[in-house]
Amino acid sequence: AVGRARLESQVANMSDSTIETKAKAAKAYLEKDVVPILTRALAKMCVEEPDDPYMWLAKYLVENHPTKPAHIQYNDSLVLTLQEGNFFGEIALLSGKPRQATVKASGVVSVLVIGRDAFDRLCGSLIDILQRNMTNYSNMELPEPVPEPEKDAEPQAAASAPTPPPQEAQQEPEPEARPEAPKASTKRARRRGSVFVEAVEIDSTWVAPSYPHSPEELGRIEGYVAKTILLSLLDVQAKKSVIGAFQKMTYTAGQDIITQGADGDYYYILDTGNADVWISKSGAAEIKVLEYSPGGAFGELALLHGEPRLATVRATQDCVCWALDRDTFRKIMMSTGRQDMNERTTFLSKVPVLQELTPFERFKIAEAMEVRNFRDSDVIVHEGAEGNEFFVIQKGSCKCYKRMLKF
């Protein structure tokens, strides 16, 4: 108050000419030295849209000082802790922005990872869910604005509000309702914990069938098996049995390889040609949801569930497929590969953001994911790096840090 009174007294004692002179000098100073700096800063700020404009502007002014002061210091500030079932990395995939936080393992951590290509190819419904819930995300990654959701859609919890996976899995809806992805809602039908069929009994004398293959065909099948997570986890002997048990089947363009609603009889790997995946929701017109090229594997879901096919796979060109019959598939899947996929699919069904997906969609995502393990303080993603992967924490917890300017 004293300083303000003194200033007012000084202004009152100035002549009009003095005030005018000082005003012109101040205007010239602002136009020459201040406005250009702030104009550049504000232009860049509008592009980056920082969550904290004050901190961003302070950092910009220091870093762009003509002398480039060497005494700038930063602190890594903890902004969020993520638990089992939480996910991160999706906003960078959706918006194209660099990672805006560093994520470190807190203790021993296991995460499921899916890359950008598989995310874009398989996660159509998941992308819709994530975009509807942009406003619920933490501030560590900044998305582009998206349209408001429909009135009957309620936002779901996301990583900014960690939700532990439910203790009891819920009941699966009836088969004919599965292809339809429900609208965002906090009310869901109960799902059961594991939709896999019970293991079949294996007679001690049982031997997997074996079909003739050329050396080139065996090489291709072996390559496909190595890249298919469901089969890649089998032991050496089981892989040999699987490779020998694949039989060749051919289909013409426009022919259905599998048909939605039919019983599952074979597991397929596409060898030549291309095929599209179609789903009819509640008897409506078919919707194309996926494409397969050579090496694509499909048909396992109905065999593992013991229930009707959830989608139609239709050849778009003349195709050659390698097919593994249901009995052989189930018996071989009693080994490591089946158990791993059983556990992974059950886990993903408990991740809140994935509960809206159909079993078919969740299974394909589970199949495309790989497991990575980290030790305490290992960096999983770096702030400022390009975002090419989406992560779900399977075991353990992570901490998210932002690099803050130290004053």
Side-chain angles (χ1 to χ4, degrees):
V2 174
R4 180 178 179 183
R6 184 181 298 113
L7 179 60
E8 291 176 347
S9 176
Q10 291 174 352
V11 172
N13 293 329
M14 287 183 185
S15 64
D16 291 343
S17 60
T18 301
I19 294 176
E20 184 177 356
T21 300
K22 287 187 174 293
K24 288 181 179 180
K27 181 180 180 182
Y29 166 72
L30 290 173
E31 291 178 347
K32 178 184 177 182
D33 297 325
V34 178
V35 172
I37 296 173
L38 294 180
T39 299
R40 290 193 296 270
L42 294 176
K44 189 171 183 180
M45 183 187 293
C46 290
V47 173
E48 296 190 10
E49 298 180 357
D51 180 65
D52 186 344
Y54 296 98
M55 184 64 70
W56 185 95
L57 184 58
K59 180 179 176 182
Y60 174 89
L61 293 174
V62 173
E63 291 182 342
N64 289 273
H65 191 278
T67 63
K68 298 290 183 182
H71 64 273
I72 301 177
Q73 294 183 355
Y74 294 91
N75 283 337
D76 286 335
S77 298
L78 178 65
V79 295
L80 188 66
T81 298
L82 301 174
Q83 307 292 342
E84 179 179 318
N86 290 151
F87 52 91
F88 57 93
E90 72 288 351
I91 304 301
L93 294 182
L94 294 173
S95 68
K97 293 181 179 293
R99 303 287 191 199
Q100 299 208 0
T102 294
V103 180
K104 295 182 180 180
S106 180
V108 177
V109 174
S110 175
V111 298
L112 297 174
V113 187
I114 186 170
R116 177 182 292 277
D117 290 343
F119 185 88
D120 292 341
R121 177 166 48 88
L122 298 175
C123 300
S125 298
L126 176 58
I127 289 173
D128 292 340
I129 295 168
L130 294 173
Q131 287 180 334
R132 286 203 302 269
N133 295 286
M134 286 294 196
T135 56
N136 290 341
Y137 285 86
S138 66
N139 293 326
M140 66 177 178
E141 292 186 295
L142 306 175
E144 298 290 346
V146 295
E148 291 294 323
E150 295 179 2
K151 293 182 179 180
D152 60 348
E154 299 175 11
Q156 301 297 315
S160 57
T163 303
Q167 297 301 312
E168 291 187 10
Q170 299 176 326
Q171 183 179 346
E172 192 70 32
E174 291 301 317
E176 61 269 16
R178 281 185 183 149
E180 180 157 1
K183 295 180 180 179
S185 172
T186 55
K187 299 178 181 178
R188 292 190 181 89
R190 292 183 56 81
R191 300 177 184 270
R192 56 179 186 267
S194 174
V195 293
F196 287 75
V197 294
E198 294 298 322
V200 295
E201 294 294 329
I202 298 181
D203 188 275
S204 59
T205 61
W206 180 82
V207 177
S210 181
Y211 297 91
H213 305 92
S214 69
E216 293 78 12
E217 290 172 340
L218 286 173
R220 291 201 304 276
I221 298 173
E222 184 176 356
Y224 298 148
V225 168
K227 295 178 180 178
T228 304
I229 191 168
L230 188 65
L231 303 179
S232 65
L233 299 171
L234 299 174
D235 59 39
V236 175
Q237 185 57 45
K239 283 183 181 178
K240 288 182 64 176
S241 297
V242 164
I243 292 171
F246 274 110
Q247 55 183 301
K248 182 185 291 187
M249 293 187 176
T250 60
Y251 298 88
T252 58
Q255 185 177 358
D256 288 350
I257 302 173
I258 64 176
T259 303
Q260 182 174 338
D263 291 335
D265 48 4
Y266 288 97
Y267 168 70
Y268 299 90
I269 297 179
L270 189 59
D271 189 31
T272 64
N274 292 278
D276 291 341
V277 181
W278 298 82
I279 291 180
S280 175
K281 300 183 177 183
S282 301
E286 290 182 324
I287 300 173
K288 179 180 171 182
V289 296
L290 196 62
E291 296 179 1
Y292 285 119
S293 57
F298 52 90
E300 69 279 20
L301 197 59
L303 301 188
L304 291 169
H305 284 219
E307 295 176 351
R309 301 288 195 188
L310 299 181
T312 294
V313 178
R314 184 170 299 136
T316 57
Q317 303 172 341
D318 290 347
C319 293
V320 173
C321 293
W322 296 108
L324 188 66
D325 71 86
R326 173 173 49 199
D327 183 63
T328 303
F329 179 87
R330 287 185 178 176
K331 288 177 177 177
I332 291 177
M333 286 303 104
M334 288 181 67
S335 61
T336 307
R338 175 191 181 277
Q339 182 63 26
D340 181 84
M341 285 302 296
N342 189 345
E343 293 176 356
R344 185 178 302 183
T345 306
T346 300
F347 169 76
L348 291 180
S349 72
K350 298 177 182 180
V351 176
V353 76
L354 301 180
Q355 288 179 343
E356 292 191 15
L357 302 179
T358 66
F360 174 79
E361 291 167 328
R362 275 200 304 271
F363 190 90
K364 299 310 292 183
I365 291 174
E367 191 178 33
M369 283 181 153
E370 64 173 288
V371 179
R372 292 184 194 166
N373 298 308
F374 298 90
R375 294 172 295 182
D376 185 44
S377 299
D378 282 351
V379 176
I380 302 174
V381 300
H382 288 269
E383 181 177 357
E386 183 180 1
N388 289 314
E389 293 176 319
F390 170 64
F391 304 82
V392 179
I393 300 175
Q394 188 174 29
K395 294 180 181 178
S397 62
C398 297
K399 293 184 177 180
C400 307
Y401 298 87
K402 282 188 68 68
R403 194 166 181 246
M404 301 289 191
L405 186 65
K406 182 179 180 181
F407 293 99

